[in-house]
Amino acid sequence: MYTDLTGKVVIITGAATGIGKAIATRLANEGCKVVINYFKKEENPEAIVKEIEQAGGHASIIQGDVSKEEDVKAFVQFAHDTYGSLDIYVNNAGVENEVPSENLSIEDWQTVINTNLTGTFLGCREAAKYMLDHNIKGSIINISSVHEIIPWPHFVHYAASKGGVKLLMESLALEFAPDGIRVNNIAPGAIDTPINAEKFSDPEKKKGVEKLIPIGYIGEPEQVASCAAFLASEQASYVTGTTLVVDGGMTKYPGFQAGKG
Ligand code: BGC
């Protein structure tokens, strides 16, 4: 538990499912007041609010598209109107699809870049603006991916977006450090979430992914959420401009694990 998180106001994008949901649940358990953004009604955002409230926590939902400037501004206004502050902003919403690059359409390229990179920029910008205006020494956390480091054929738009989020985060961290606003990334590896459900339901594909993970298994969203709680808290007060990689060792060249090379 991080006691300094009690009463802090947090916005988490794409928080009705997967990693975002786990972060929302964890931060609510830490005593934060949680604004849950979702995009599509099918994500059933009411379910997580109910769970949080039943556990004695505070949560509210707001629909919106992270790639739209007006929507992101509305998230911040909503947090202010509902809970009177904004202390932590988690850019979690993300999309991916597999396409050989010679056939990658401009529409697919733009959808992924707009959500993953532009959406993260807008979240960072609006959160930082609010924190500066209200003299809040806040924490901004971007959920990137191991693909801010590892190249990924057939997912080049995704890898490009996450590589972009890395330097976006590092540049913003430098810019806002004097104001006490910390900006960091979490780079999850293969995690058991809806984005991967189809891939991991195929035992062969799942085994293929597990071979890339030195620790030997697919991660759980809660294992990412615990890192988000740390970065949000005062325990990480001297941490800014860094990526916390949460990948069971995936980025550490698993092909070399047997000691050959
Ligand atoms: C992607 C997953 C993928 C993992 C490791 C994540 O960023 O969302 O689909 O399994 O990276 O490649």
Side-chain angles (χ1 to χ4, degrees):
M1 285 291 285
Y2 299 101
T3 49
D4 63 277
L5 289 177
T6 305
K8 291 277 160 68
V9 179
V10 53
I11 296 173
I12 305 163
T13 64
T17 62
I19 290 172
K21 181 178 180 184
I23 294 173
T25 306
R26 173 65 193 253
L27 292 181
N29 287 341
E30 296 281 349
C32 292
K33 295 169 181 163
V34 183
V35 173
I36 289 165
N37 152 254
Y38 70 99
F39 182 48
K40 293 186 190 143
K41 201 78 200 130
E42 304 87 87
E43 294 165 14
N44 189 18
E46 291 83 8
I48 177 178
V49 172
K50 206 166 152 198
E51 275 171 41
I52 289 173
E53 285 178 346
Q54 276 171 356
H58 302 276
S60 306
I61 50 175
I62 184 163
Q63 194 279 335
D65 178 347
V66 295
S67 70
K68 299 224 162 73
E69 205 166 14
E70 291 320 308
D71 287 14
V72 178
K73 285 184 176 177
F75 303 164
V76 174
Q77 190 62 47
F78 179 74
H80 178 80
D81 294 344
T82 312
Y83 298 124
S85 188
L86 176 63
D87 305 290
I88 301 154
Y89 194 104
V90 183
N91 284 298
N92 168 75
V95 288
E96 68 185 54
N97 69 324
E98 179 173 6
V99 192
S101 296
E102 69 276 22
N103 296 326
L104 178 55
S105 67
I106 190 70
E107 288 78 18
D108 274 355
W109 170 268
Q110 276 166 348
T111 299
V112 170
I113 296 290
N114 289 350
T115 303
N116 299 4
L117 181 55
T118 307
T120 299
F121 158 66
L122 289 172
C124 289
R125 187 189 72 187
E126 291 308 312
K129 196 182 286 177
Y130 184 92
M131 291 169 186
L132 290 171
D133 285 351
H134 294 81
N135 197 20
I136 292 168
K137 302 198 181 321
S139 172
I140 299 173
I141 301 167
N142 305 318
I143 307 305
S144 66
S145 162
V146 286
H147 298 294
E148 69 162 59
I149 301 164
I150 305 176
W152 205 12
H154 293 199
F155 291 83
V156 298
H157 42 345
Y158 185 76
S161 72
K162 298 300 185 176
V165 168
K166 177 177 186 288
L167 272 169
L168 172 70
M169 174 278 288
E170 291 174 356
S171 305
L172 292 172
L174 210 51
E175 189 166 338
F176 295 126
D179 305 295
I181 300 170
R182 297 181 295 107
V183 191
N184 292 289
N185 282 5
I186 292 177
I191 308 294
D192 192 8
T193 64
I195 216 174
N196 291 314
E198 206 186 312
K199 184 163 57 187
F200 296 159
S201 66
D202 175 335
E204 278 312 301
K205 283 189 185 163
K206 190 174 177 198
K207 228 185 270 167
V209 175
E210 281 166 350
K211 274 201 197 127
L212 298 172
I213 309 171
I215 238 172
Y217 66 93
I218 309 274
E220 292 299 328
E222 291 71 23
Q223 293 175 303
V224 181
S226 58
C227 297
F230 166 67
L231 285 178
S233 82
E234 276 301 303
Q235 294 298 310
S237 56
Y238 208 55
V239 183
T240 196
T242 202
T243 294
L244 180 44
V245 180
V246 188
D247 70 342
M250 189 181 237
T251 44
K252 296 297 168 286
Y253 305 98
F256 283 80
Q257 205 173 7
K260 299 208 172 67

